[in-house]
Every structure is written in structure tokens, then in C-alpha cells.
Amino acid sequence: MTTVDLPLLPLGRGTDPLSERGVECPGDLPAPSDPDLVARALAAKEKLGDRLFVLGHHYQRDEVIQFADVTGDSFKLARDAAARPDAEFIVFCGVHFMAESADILTGPQQQVILPDLAAGCSMADMARIAQVERAWDALAAAGVQDVVVPVTYMNSSAAIKAFCGRNGGVVCTSSNAEVALDWAFEQKGPDTKVLFLPDQHLGRNTAVLQLGYSLDECVVWNPMLPGGGLTAEELANAKMILWKGHCSVHGRFSADVIDELRAKVDDLNVIVHPECQHEVVLKADLVGSTEFIIKTIEAAPAGSSWAIGTELNLVQRLADAHPDKNIMFLDRNVCYCSTMNRIDLPHFVWALENLVEGVVVNRIEVDPQTEADALAALQRMLDLPGKSHRD
């Protein structure tokens, strides 16, 4: 197939059966220019009443987040949904792996809906289950699998979470990665190694800056290369086997921009997400999850200056909410999370109005075996001490 043959579909319209998830895009979306979209969303939400519970991730557009019953990071939202067992419909304004987590944690009487099935996560898609299974076999062939514990970040598919569940591993969030890694390194004696999926930066930053391992003890597994591109000696010497994955947004932030901003702004505070590159994290004043960033800005004194390294929708929302503080984006260019931005008001209205008519669209369902295995890994995380309840 050449590029000329590729289907060019208007956003959210038409069907591409060869697409990654077999996305069936609706052909009857309201027009983005419809002046009644907000009123239609409000009317549909009122008609559905307590049967509906809307989850809004922090990185969502303002036009959508205004209708969220709760906002937060992915795992917090999934748990919020589980705490509302009477809500028949869970509309998740986020991305695919988040909706999967909500389906895993909610009851069988609840249905999770993703307004646009094309709202995925590039990081999660960088670790496919077939690739991870091949890597696991390769680790066995290299003679190290017996001392490897798999740990996956919440930003991964249900299949990857289930893989960790089957193989004695655990899920972690950006808040409890240190606790999860501490647990993992205790599982198989002094020779224990961790296979960290799918974000190499969170794994590296946690292992080096919080647990005290050296950069030399961290190697990167490239799923596109035989044996991950690593020698048997490199695997034998490694403590952290980092999957070659990253966040397309957080990976954009660079250390030189921090230097530029510090030269221009007096007493600048730099706060970044741990999905940022190691060089960026080293130059930041504070590092933490989305919730940590929000709470830090809320508690900051008036007149303070902040450069924030996370998704732009959230940074703009924080700047609007705190006009008494000088808040700026830690990048030269505008960069929204493109997949998060797939959830727009037309898709949201379309999903709700279908529910009003008794039609469940874009339901996200995890098969029972995958759900059971993923739950095992999630439960291990919930059993960890400290910050395991947070995102």
C-alpha cells in the first residue's frame, strides 16, 4: 500500500477496518460548529441522571472537562468509578488503557464507554503483548528470566497488566513507583532484576534518583532488535531492564529550555512529571505526578514563578485558576496530547445522546481471563504500603 492508497478520514467519521483497533467511527456526529452542543450535553446528562457517571482526566479539553463528575489521573478515576456501583454507564473522557482499567475495577452491571475509540496512548502502544512475550522468552534464553520481576506503569494495556499478574509482577503509578520497585527487588533475592514497562524514563528516574542505582545498572530493551539489542553480559549486569517506550508529550521537554527560562525569569521554580527525560528531571526543582503538580501549584505563594513540564491543557488550566502566580509551559512549542484531544464535544454529545436512546456505543470490555490476571497485578499494588492509593 502506498501513501496515496491510505484512507483520509475526517476526524471521527468513516470506517477504517485496517486501523489498529478496528475503529468504527460514527458517521452521525454533531457538527463541531453546532451552537447547541453544550445545551445538548447538559440535556442528555440530565436525562440519564444517576445512571451516568462521567470521568475526566486532567489532560482533557476544557470543553469536555466541564461535564466531568470527577477529575483526576487514570487510576484515581477508575477507582472513583468502582466506588459508584449504582452508575450504569461510566463515560471515560480519557484514553483507551484508562477505560480498560475502569472496566477491570467496576462491577459487571456497569458499562464503560470511551467517546472516541481512537483515543489511545502512544506510550501504551509501544509495548504490545506479543513483543513483551517474545522479550520474556528471550530473557529465559539469556538465563536471567528466573530473577526478573515485571513491573508495568499504569499507562499500559490490560494485556500488559495481565502479563505482570501472571508472572509475579505488579502495576505502579507515577506516585508509588518507588514503593513498587522496592517491593519488586525483594522478590527474588539479591540478584533480582526488574523489567520495567513501558516508560523507560519513569523507570530510570525512579531507580536512579529514588533507589540509588547507577545509570550503568539501567539498560534499555529495544523490542525492534533481536535480544532487545542487549548482550548476555549487559543483561547479567543490569538491575533495571527498561522497555524502550516514552510519553510523546513529556519526552518533548528539554534541559536547554530550562536553562533559557532560568536566565529570563528570576527565582523560577521548575516542576516536571517523572515521565520526562532524565536530563530534564535532574535540572528541575520538583518532580512528581500530575496530582503532585496540581497540589504544589495550589499551595505556592502568590507572585511565585513556575515552569511546568506536563500536558498543556492542564498547564493552561492551572494558569487560569491561579492568576496571582506566573505560570508558564516548559516547551518552546504548543504541544497537546493528540490522543487525549480526540475526545471532543461532538463525540461526547454523540455518546450521551445514544445512551439516552438506549444504545451503548464504544463500550470497552476486557475479557474475563485478562481481567483476572490484571487484577492480580493491581491488587499487589494496592497491598503495597504508603502511596499505593494515589496516582
Side-chain angles (χ1 to χ4, degrees):
M1 177 181 286
T2 68
T3 54
V4 176
D5 300 319
L6 293 173
L8 299 177
L9 304 176
L11 183 62
R13 299 178 185 275
T15 299
D16 175 13
L18 299 179
S19 63
E20 179 182 318
R21 293 192 178 92
V23 174
E24 295 285 334
C25 291
D28 55 352
L29 282 178
S33 59
D34 185 341
D36 297 325
L37 283 176
V38 170
R40 289 171 64 175
L42 289 170
K45 198 173 180 202
E46 184 177 0
K47 287 179 182 177
L48 291 165
D50 292 340
R51 299 173 65 203
L52 173 70
F53 194 49
V54 179
L55 309 176
H57 191 272
H58 287 308
Y59 298 166
Q60 287 291 296
R61 302 165 179 244
D62 283 345
E63 67 184 63
V64 171
I65 205 80
Q66 64 179 313
F67 297 104
D69 294 305
V70 292
T71 60
D73 278 344
S74 59
F75 187 57
K76 172 186 176 297
L77 291 174
R79 297 191 76 191
D80 286 342
R84 291 288 296 270
D86 294 335
E88 183 180 350
F89 306 121
I90 307 297
V91 173
F92 208 130
C93 297
V95 295
H96 196 268
F97 80 80
M98 299 178 186
E100 284 186 327
S101 295
D103 185 59
I104 289 169
L105 292 179
T106 52
Q109 77 282 7
Q110 296 176 285
Q111 301 179 77
V112 178
I113 294 104
L114 185 66
D116 186 346
L117 291 180
C121 170
S122 60
M123 180 204 295
D125 290 342
M126 289 176 192
R128 310 295 178 86
I129 185 59
Q131 294 174 320
V132 175
E133 295 282 7
R134 285 196 297 270
W136 196 242
D137 291 341
L139 292 174
V144 298
Q145 188 202 81
D146 288 347
V147 291
V148 175
V149 177
V151 177
T152 190
Y153 187 24
M154 184 62 65
N155 298 28
S156 58
S157 69
I160 300 302
K161 294 181 178 74
F163 169 86
C164 290
R166 290 193 301 274
N167 291 286
V170 68
V171 179
C172 75
T173 68
S174 55
S175 284
N176 70 10
E178 178 184 4
V179 178
L181 285 179
D182 265 337
W183 173 88
F185 280 117
E186 293 173 354
Q187 298 309 300
K188 301 198 173 183
D191 296 327
T192 299
K193 306 175 189 298
V194 166
L195 172 63
F196 194 87
L197 303 152
D199 179 28
Q200 61 172 306
H201 300 306
L202 176 62
R204 181 182 295 106
N205 290 329
T206 306
V208 173
L209 300 179
Q210 295 183 282
L211 297 185
Y213 290 103
S214 71
L215 288 174
D216 290 338
E217 292 175 292
C218 302
V219 296
V220 178
W221 183 280
N222 185 341
M224 302 302 177
L225 296 176
L230 299 169
T231 66
E233 183 180 5
E234 286 173 322
L235 287 171
N237 294 333
K239 293 298 288 183
M240 290 287 290
I241 304 169
L242 304 168
W243 194 263
K244 189 176 174 61
H246 65 275
C247 171
S248 299
V249 171
H250 291 109
R252 288 178 54 90
F253 301 117
S254 60
D256 64 306
V257 174
I258 295 178
D259 293 337
E260 289 178 13
L261 290 174
R262 287 198 192 279
K264 295 176 183 177
V265 182
D266 293 335
D267 299 321
L268 179 67
N269 301 282
V270 178
I271 185 169
V272 302
H273 196 281
E275 292 173 19
C276 292
Q277 298 179 66
H278 190 63
E279 297 77 11
V280 172
V281 168
L282 287 176
K283 290 205 168 191
D285 299 299
L286 294 168
V287 183
S289 68
T290 305
E291 294 286 351
F292 173 80
I293 292 172
I294 292 170
K295 290 175 181 176
T296 299
I297 298 301
E298 288 175 345
S304 57
S305 296
W306 295 85
I308 304 178
T310 193
E311 207 275 339
L312 184 52
N313 271 315
L314 176 60
V315 177
Q316 288 183 320
R317 198 169 295 129
L318 288 171
D320 292 341
H322 301 280
D324 59 329
K325 299 158 194 175
N326 181 23
I327 294 174
M328 62 204 75
F329 187 50
L330 190 64
D331 196 2
R332 296 186 184 94
N333 304 305
V334 172
C335 183
Y336 295 98
C337 177
S338 59
T339 49
M340 281 281 187
N341 272 266
R342 297 281 314 205
I343 309 296
D344 57 11
L345 197 47
H347 279 88
F348 182 74
V349 169
W350 170 79
L352 263 59
E353 289 184 341
N354 270 280
L355 292 177
V356 169
E357 296 298 321
V359 179
V360 178
V361 294
N362 291 4
R363 184 179 178 185
I364 303 300
E365 292 184 89
V366 177
D367 70 85
Q369 187 59 58
T370 299
E371 179 175 306
D373 291 340
L375 267 174
L378 285 165
Q379 188 58 53
R380 290 184 191 119
M381 180 184 76
L382 291 171
D383 291 340
L384 295 173
K387 298 179 180 178
S388 59
H389 67 290
R390 294 169 142 187
D391 286 285

